[in-house]
Amino acid sequence: MSNIILIEFVLYFIAIIGIGFYTSRTKMDHSVFLLGGKKLPGWALAFSERATGESAWLLLGFTGFVFTTGLAGIWVAIGIALGIIFSWLFLAKKFMQETDKHKVLTLPDYLAVNFKEKANIIRWVASILVAGFFMFYVGAQLAGAGKLFFTSFQMNETLGIVLATIVVLGIAFFGGFISVVWTDMIQSIMMLITLCILPIIALIYIGTNDLSISQSLMSAGDSFNSWFGGTTGFAIGVLFFNNFSWFFGYLGGQPQLSARFMALKNEKEAKQARNVAIVWTILAYTGAFVIGLAAIAMYSQGSFTDVETILPHMILDLMPPWIAGLLLAGILAAIITTANSQLMVVTSSVSEDIIHKALGMKLTDNQLLNVSRITILLSGIIGMIIALTSESLVYLIVSWAWAGVGCTLSPAILMTFFWKRYSGTGVVATIISGFVFTVLWISTPLDSIITSRFSTFFIAAFFGIVFSLLFPDKKSQDKMA
């Protein structure tokens, strides 16, 4: 059985690297390597944004989370879905317009050009924030690959992590953003197939074997059959906000997602992309939630030493080998797309924001391209080391990175877009406070009470507002005078 799946995995690897290499033949300069040069269709960017946004955490982390929480897990899905829909409806076009206006390639650089007095400080603090957290994000994806290989083939997790790293680096190194988007598009479709087919098969299995999801929820534990986890009073609000809080990270602050908005060509492409992304999101999260509930009926609590391997176990139990191989490749697709995109974000922060802009090094376009490729290799190796040495769960690492980056930069982006009195000092205060409070919050028991995804967003916004009012930009003072 594993031989058939292994052959399909090998063919998948060859196909993805081949697509990446083929698309890399585009005439490449630094701007094309980092953001595609406005050459990509909206629907491809939408598929890429969705694959990048969901990663191993949706297929492995979220399905495992629903298995251990029951119906209350739906608030995570609702929070994320609403965040995605909000960003495509209200932010995507704004990102496209602002990119065209300022001719920027990265999220930190966009913030910097809007606040020229503090431009370099903003580039430094934003780039350090992004690179620091995203290294762990890449590591989480590669750790997910190790779990997948172990579950599928009983392969040593270390070898699985190394193999995934090689594929990720191969795609990103050759063609940059363009190769990543086109391979993302293929892999996004594979993810969606897995998330739509498997729940149907699981429900058929449950029906034909006289199993019951509702009865299984009741027997799994007191909280499983409640939409609010069996909580009452104030605890309902805590549970709701903790699960719903993923919403705040989607409000423009995730550089790997915002890059897809920035790469859009025109309003027609933006509308097309919006429709594709919203439909994808509804289908994918419905499927993942049903998979988690079906697993509660199929397996007893405590059946797994690692609940984040439930999805591959279910695929192997329910599917013939040749179909199982294709669906398991969908999980691997989620891992590779996100790891690729995280590497591109780290690379752009180092080569564009730090070396090119903050340090002002006079490099030719070709030299900048080489710097970007070297950064990809070094970042991939660091991510692999993190994956090999970390015991943390995929869900938790992604959750922390979501708070540290998404919930820190989201208020910075929203206030830059919509508040004229936001100042450069306010931006710096937003980023530093978000970073510091995320690290402090997750290091204390507070995170188990109120998640850092919720607290970071409002703390960062608070400091951004206060410091903007206390230290306005000179142009703002002139306008007020």
Side-chain angles (χ1 to χ4, degrees):
M1 176 176 177
S2 60
N3 287 338
I4 295 174
I5 297 174
L6 183 60
I7 290 170
E8 290 184 339
F9 267 47
V10 171
L11 292 175
Y12 162 75
F13 277 146
I14 293 172
I16 290 300
I17 292 176
I19 292 168
F21 182 74
Y22 177 78
T23 54
S24 72
R25 297 190 302 171
T26 303
K27 186 177 179 181
M28 201 70 63
D29 60 27
H30 191 233
S31 64
V32 173
F33 189 83
L34 293 185
L35 204 60
K38 298 283 184 176
K39 297 179 179 181
L40 294 159
W43 57 268
L45 288 166
F47 274 118
S48 175
E49 188 268 346
R50 286 296 74 237
T52 298
E54 303 323 324
S55 72
W57 106 263
L58 172 59
L59 289 96
L60 300 179
F62 179 64
T63 51
F65 178 73
V66 174
F67 178 75
T68 57
T69 58
L71 296 178
I74 196 171
W75 298 110
V76 172
I78 291 174
I80 290 176
L82 289 178
I84 294 165
I85 292 170
F86 180 92
S87 65
W88 275 102
L89 287 176
F90 301 107
L91 301 179
K93 191 166 71 171
K94 182 72 171 176
F95 268 112
M96 177 188 71
Q97 293 167 345
E98 292 293 295
T99 302
D100 293 341
K101 176 182 176 181
H102 295 287
K103 307 298 180 187
V104 293
L105 300 175
T106 70
L107 202 61
D109 196 34
Y110 169 70
L111 291 172
V113 299
N114 276 277
F115 304 96
K116 291 184 171 59
E117 294 176 32
K118 297 288 188 295
N120 274 357
I121 298 175
I122 291 171
R123 288 190 181 98
W124 276 106
V125 294
S127 297
I128 291 170
L129 175 86
V130 169
F133 275 105
F134 273 22
M135 280 293 87
F136 287 94
Y137 211 151
V138 171
Q141 303 312 310
L142 298 176
K147 292 181 182 184
L148 177 62
F149 281 112
F150 176 77
T151 304
S152 304
F153 312 113
Q154 295 300 303
M155 179 187 292
N156 182 279
E157 285 194 29
T158 299
L159 180 58
I161 289 170
V162 172
L163 287 174
T165 303
I166 291 170
V167 175
V168 166
L169 289 178
I171 294 170
F173 182 85
F174 287 118
F177 188 81
I178 289 178
S179 290
V180 168
V181 167
W182 282 117
T183 52
D184 279 0
M185 189 272 293
I186 301 297
Q187 295 175 125
S188 182
I189 294 172
M190 293 172 65
M191 290 169 62
L192 196 59
I193 290 171
T194 298
L195 290 168
C196 288
I197 289 179
L198 186 60
I200 294 172
I201 301 300
L203 291 176
I204 292 172
Y205 175 87
I206 288 169
T208 55
N209 286 273
D210 294 324
L211 300 173
S212 169
I213 291 177
S214 59
Q215 290 180 2
S216 298
L217 286 168
M218 293 177 66
S219 59
D222 294 336
S223 64
F224 280 71
N225 200 36
S226 167
W227 293 105
F228 290 99
T231 57
T232 58
F234 178 75
I236 291 180
V238 172
L239 179 140
F240 172 77
F241 278 112
N242 281 346
N243 286 352
F244 184 80
S245 60
W246 290 88
F247 170 85
F248 300 108
Y250 280 97
L251 305 183
Q254 291 289 355
Q256 77 280 21
L257 306 184
S258 299
R260 273 68 185 164
F261 302 153
M262 296 168 74
L264 290 165
K265 289 189 285 189
N266 52 52
E267 289 196 21
K268 180 181 177 182
E269 296 284 346
K271 289 179 181 178
Q272 180 189 73
R274 175 200 65 198
N275 295 337
V276 170
I278 290 174
V279 171
W280 193 102
T281 299
I282 293 170
L283 290 175
Y285 272 92
T286 301
F289 182 67
V290 173
I291 287 169
L293 295 182
I296 294 173
M298 292 174 59
Y299 309 105
S300 60
Q301 297 293 313
S303 299
F304 301 93
T305 55
D306 184 352
V307 295
E308 291 182 345
T309 62
I310 283 174
L311 183 60
H313 272 295
M314 190 182 292
I315 289 173
L316 292 169
D317 289 342
L318 294 178
M319 300 293 188
W322 69 274
I323 296 179
L326 295 175
L327 297 185
L328 288 169
I331 303 175
L332 191 60
I335 293 166
I336 288 175
T337 54
T338 301
N340 274 329
S341 298
Q342 311 297 357
L343 284 180
M344 289 306 303
V345 168
V346 174
T347 297
S348 63
S349 289
V350 172
S351 64
E352 177 67 8
D353 297 320
I354 299 300
I355 293 176
H356 188 204
K357 295 290 181 69
L359 295 177
M361 295 179 66
K362 305 297 182 183
L363 300 177
T364 66
D365 207 69
N366 204 40
Q367 287 173 325
L368 283 170
L369 199 59
N370 290 332
V371 168
S372 294
R373 285 181 165 141
I374 292 170
T375 305
I376 284 173
L377 291 177
L378 293 176
S379 302
I381 292 170
I382 293 171
M384 181 181 71
I385 293 170
I386 290 172
L388 292 172
T389 57
S390 175
E391 296 292 330
S392 298
L393 299 175
V394 173
Y395 184 93
L396 285 178
I397 289 180
V398 174
S399 174
W400 291 342
W402 210 255
V405 178
C407 296
T408 295
L409 293 181
S410 283
I413 289 295
L414 291 173
M415 286 190 282
T416 302
F417 280 174
F418 303 115
W419 190 38
K420 292 182 179 180
R421 297 183 67 182
Y422 196 38
S423 71
T425 303
V427 176
V428 175
T430 301
I431 296 171
I432 292 177
S433 64
F435 173 79
V436 170
F437 276 93
T438 297
V439 173
L440 291 176
W441 205 273
I442 64 179
S443 303
T444 69
L446 288 171
D447 196 53
S448 62
I449 303 170
I450 298 291
T451 175
S452 57
R453 294 186 306 274
F454 177 75
S455 61
T456 294
F457 181 88
F458 289 99
I459 289 170
F462 172 79
F463 276 91
I465 292 169
V466 170
F467 275 78
S468 292
L469 295 175
L470 291 176
F471 304 99
D473 287 343
K474 289 181 181 178
K475 61 181 181 181
S476 298
Q477 290 176 316
D478 293 341
K479 286 180 182 178
M480 291 173 68

